[in-house]
Structure formats: C-alpha cells, structure tokens
Amino acid sequence: MLNIDIVPCLQDNYSFVLHDKVTNTVAVVDPSEFEPINNFIKKKLKKIDYIFNTHHHFDHTGGNLELKKKYNPKIIGSAEDEKRIPGIDIKLLDNDAFNFGNVNFNIIHVPGHTSGHICFYSKKEKIIFTGDTLFSLGCGKVFEGTHLQMLNSLSRIKKLPKDTNIYCGHEYTKKNLEFCTKFESGNNFLKEKKNWITLKLNKKEPTIPVTIAEELNTNIFLRCDLLTIKKSLGMENSSEVEIFKKLRDLKDSF
C-alpha cells in the first residue's frame, strides 16, 4: 500500500512524501527545501530512501543535498540533467522503469518547461508526478523547449488512463481557473470546479490531486484542438500548436 503525503514548501510549492508501507520504503518527490521535509520525516518516518526530481529548477531540488547529507537517500533524476540535479545518483531516460518498494514507476520524458523534465508514473497506483509540466487547470512556462515540444509532452500525459491522479508541483489552481474561465466561460465543469476550489482553499487544503478525466474537461491547455476554444481566440483556422502558443503567451502576461 502506497501512502502519499503532501508537504507545502516555499511560497506555493508542493513536495510529496511516498511511503510503501509493505516494504517500509520512503521517497520524497521534488524537495523544494530542507526544513519542512526534515520536520515531517523526523516526526513520522525517520528515514528517506530515495529522492525523485522531476527537473533541475532550484524550487524542486533545493533540499537535495541537505537531505542527502542527513538521510543518505539515492537521488533519481533525468540522465539529461545529470550535471544540473544536485547529488544525482540514478540517471534515467524516457520509458525507463524502476521499482520503489513494491511499486513500479515508469519515466515519461516531457521536454518543454525544461529540456530534461520527466514525470514519474505508476500505472498500478494510478498516479503521476508532473512537476511543472502539467498543473491543475494549467501547464508550465516554456523555458528550454519549444511550444510544440510542450504540447506533445502534455499530449502524452493526457493519453494516460483517465483515473490517473495528478500530483503537480505548485498550488496555482485558483489563478489557473480564472484564466481558463476567461476563454471558456460557458464550461459547466469549470463552474462546478470553482466551488470545489474555493472550499478547499478556505479549509487551507491542497487542490490536488486531480484526475486526468477532470483535467480533460477543464484544463484549457489540454483542449487546444476544440473549435470552441479556437473561436474564443478568433483563431478558427489555426493549428493546435498555434492555439497552444497563443494561450501560453496570454497566460504568461495574465
């Protein structure tokens, strides 16, 4: 049985502590900083066996070295980022698999936000850790790749089973909702989502995980092929990647 705890870090980051209870194996996904993770581990689990890094940005790797010094975990990341992920031990590529206790994870390479960005996906557990590639109702900025790469990366994720639970790296959902609603005001799924998001945030609870099924109905960046979206932008004859680029550019200044 896999237990997942969400640990808030920095201003709006999420790190995740995984515990395979059968084998007592512990991992931390994207430790933004040392102190919140250390406090959680000291109180509950007492050890860390692995650190999973989705990409090299400091707000996802900032706790790596201090945690490694104290707990001596193996750090797993993209082979393409071996010179940019602090303390990396295990370097994996697209479609590689590895076992975390009794749980099998597959690597999905998702360039766009960064060139070496990866997701950690478990079909059995119905979970994916998407870092800064896919957010609830949004997606990451295109820093090191192209818009086509980012669109293709999102397409790979959205083709996974619809009951897959998405754990992303930031609490951006409310702002993302405002953006999606601006260009798809008639979407009833978004109207229902707004009430749910408000309730969660008022209770100071994370708005994740969300399922791929939910995102397909609400996340405008996964819906760039729809004529309704194209019409809302006045770009009825544009390609999917042109729509995606326009939306991403608009979101950058939103």
Side-chain angles (χ1 to χ4, degrees), residues 33-46:
E33 52 181 336
F34 172 77
E35 207 61 44
I37 303 299
N38 183 50
N39 289 340
F40 183 92
I41 295 296
K42 277 196 305 183
K43 289 177 185 176
K44 297 199 172 182
L45 298 169
K46 313 299 183 188

Side-chain angles (χ1 to χ4, degrees), residues 165-178:
N165 284 291
I166 299 162
Y167 290 85
C168 59
H170 291 271
E171 183 55 73
Y172 290 162
T173 310
K174 183 180 179 182
K175 190 71 173 177
N176 290 342
L177 172 76
E178 294 170 4

Side-chain angles (χ1 to χ4, degrees), residues 2 8 14 33 55 58 110 114 122 143 164-165 169 176 183 189 199 201 222 227 241 246-247:
L2 184 66
Y14 287 136
E33 52 181 336
H55 63 296
F58 184 76
V110 285
T114 67
S122 171
F143 285 131
T164 303
N165 284 291
N176 290 342
F183 297 100
F189 291 107
L199 181 65
L201 294 179
L222 302 185
L227 184 58
V241 70
K246 179 65 175 179
L247 287 169

Side-chain angles (χ1 to χ4, degrees), residues 184-224:
E184 207 178 2
S185 58
N187 187 329
N188 289 326
F189 291 107
L190 283 173
K191 295 174 185 177
E192 293 174 12
K193 189 84 171 181
K194 181 178 180 180
N195 296 329
W196 181 83
I197 291 168
T198 300
L199 181 65
K200 295 290 278 187
L201 294 179
N202 284 344
K203 293 166 72 174
K204 300 189 183 304
E205 295 177 354
T207 60
I208 57 171
V210 291
T211 65
I212 285 178
E214 290 177 77
E215 289 298 292
L216 290 172
N217 286 328
T218 55
N219 189 332
I220 199 166
F221 292 100
L222 302 185
R223 297 162 62 80
C224 298

